[in-house]
């Protein structure tokens, strides 16, 4: 049997996460081998570590060239298996420690909406990929299934949503210049249909 060529391409923001290493480990559990992995740096949507606008623009300009190189590597079946392990910090508590700080200190899972700012547009509910936000009496109601994507806070036109102690503002919010909230809502509908 000819070995499969399996590749994984992920995005990253301010820092490299552990998706490639996790992918390698998941495939290994299924007795498969991740042949090639690559990550593309894109603007970070993190309210905790926002990217300056000049950096955001540069990352978006550079992405097509990076993706072109990745596509050529995949076409040529380039193999970088040895370089896809998770780093020590990620493997031994990086995510858990970071989430603990965000959860316990910043209380960022406790979503809230400033009633005096909210106009009841429902965009937060439309863009939430987890279906964690519903509209009740013209205001958002937050469930307990938040996946911490920050979408509600980034897309709220009134800047009314807070993530625990994190209060997003114009400097910390990010929206891709070529994506609309309506497109995100359509993606969510497609996901719900699957």
């Amino acid at each position: 049997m000819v070995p499969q060529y399996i590749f994984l391409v992920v995005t990253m923001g301010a820092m490299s996460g552990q998706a490639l290493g996790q992918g390698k480990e998941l495939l290994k559990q299924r007795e498969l081998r991740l042949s090639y992995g690559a990550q593309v740096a894109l603007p970070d949507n993190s309210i905790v570590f926002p990217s300056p606008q000049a950096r955001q623009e540069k990352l978006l300009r550079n992405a097509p060239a990076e993706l072109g190189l990745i596509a050529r590597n995949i076409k040529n079946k380039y193999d970088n298996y040895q370089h896809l392990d998770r780093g020590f910090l990620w493997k031994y508590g990086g995510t858990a420690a970071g989430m603990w700080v965000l959860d316990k200190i910043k209380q960022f899972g406790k979503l809230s909406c400033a009633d005096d700012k909210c106009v009841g547009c429902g965009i937060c509910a439309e863009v939430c990929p987890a279906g964690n936000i519903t509209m009740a009496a013209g205001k958002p109601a937050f469930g307990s299934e938040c996946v911490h994507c920050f979408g509600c806070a980034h897309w709220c036109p009134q800047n009314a949503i807070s993530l625990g102690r994190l209060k997003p503002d114009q400097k910390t919010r990010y929206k891709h210049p070529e994506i609309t909230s309506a497109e995100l809502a359509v993606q969510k509908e497609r996901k719900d249909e699957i």
Side-chain angles (χ1 to χ4, degrees), residues 45-48 108-114 117 121-129 132-133 140 142 146-175 181 184:
N45 73 334
S46 170
I47 291 166
V48 181
F108 108 154
K110 296 181 180 176
L111 301 172
S112 63
C113 180
K117 290 183 178 180
C121 67
I123 290 174
C124 55
E126 289 175 9
V127 302
C128 178
N132 188 53
I133 305 172
F142 303 100
C146 180
V147 294
H148 307 105
C149 72
F150 305 115
C152 57
H154 287 294
W155 285 95
C156 176
Q158 301 302 314
N159 202 31
I161 296 179
S162 295
L163 308 163
R165 292 185 180 156
L166 298 174
K167 311 266 187 238
D169 59 26
Q170 291 307 108
K171 291 181 181 178
T172 58
R173 293 176 3 148
Y174 174 76
K175 295 187 287 189
S181 61
L184 292 175

Side-chain angles (χ1 to χ4, degrees), residues 20 35 42 54 65 88 92 108 127 129 135 137 143 152-153 167 176:
L20 291 176
S35 305
L42 293 172
F88 179 81
Y92 298 102
F108 108 154
V127 302
M135 296 301 290
C152 57
K167 311 266 187 238
H176 189 287

Side-chain angles (χ1 to χ4, degrees), residues 8-153:
L8 177 60
V9 179
V10 300
T11 61
M12 62 172 273
M15 66 181 82
S16 174
Q18 56 181 337
L20 291 176
Q22 285 178 324
K24 180 179 177 180
E25 290 172 12
L26 288 171
L27 287 166
K28 189 175 181 180
Q29 290 171 11
R30 290 166 178 76
E31 298 181 8
L32 296 169
R33 181 181 184 275
L34 179 60
S35 305
Y36 175 75
Q39 51 196 11
V40 180
L42 293 172
D44 200 329
N45 73 334
S46 170
I47 291 166
V48 181
F49 304 109
S51 300
Q53 186 172 352
R55 177 162 166 69
Q56 293 171 2
E57 291 168 359
K58 181 180 179 185
L59 291 170
L60 291 175
R61 272 194 318 272
N62 293 344
E66 286 185 52
L67 290 169
L69 175 61
I70 291 168
R72 286 189 298 280
N73 286 341
I74 292 168
K75 182 179 178 183
N76 294 324
K77 298 197 183 224
Y78 180 74
D79 191 311
N80 66 348
Y81 176 83
Q82 297 300 325
H83 302 284
L84 298 176
D85 290 323
R86 290 197 282 171
F88 179 81
L89 287 177
W90 284 122
K91 197 168 189 173
Y92 298 102
T95 300
M99 290 306 291
W100 184 88
V101 168
L102 288 173
D103 183 45
K104 300 299 181 200
I105 296 173
K106 294 293 187 181
Q107 300 175 347
F108 108 154
K110 296 181 180 176
L111 301 172
S112 63
C113 180
D115 287 336
D116 60 325
K117 290 183 178 180
C118 180
V119 295
C121 67
I123 290 174
C124 55
E126 289 175 9
V127 302
C128 178
N132 188 53
I133 305 172
T134 55
M135 296 301 290
K139 299 293 180 188
F142 303 100
S144 60
E145 302 299 320
C146 180
V147 294
H148 307 105
C149 72
F150 305 115
C152 57

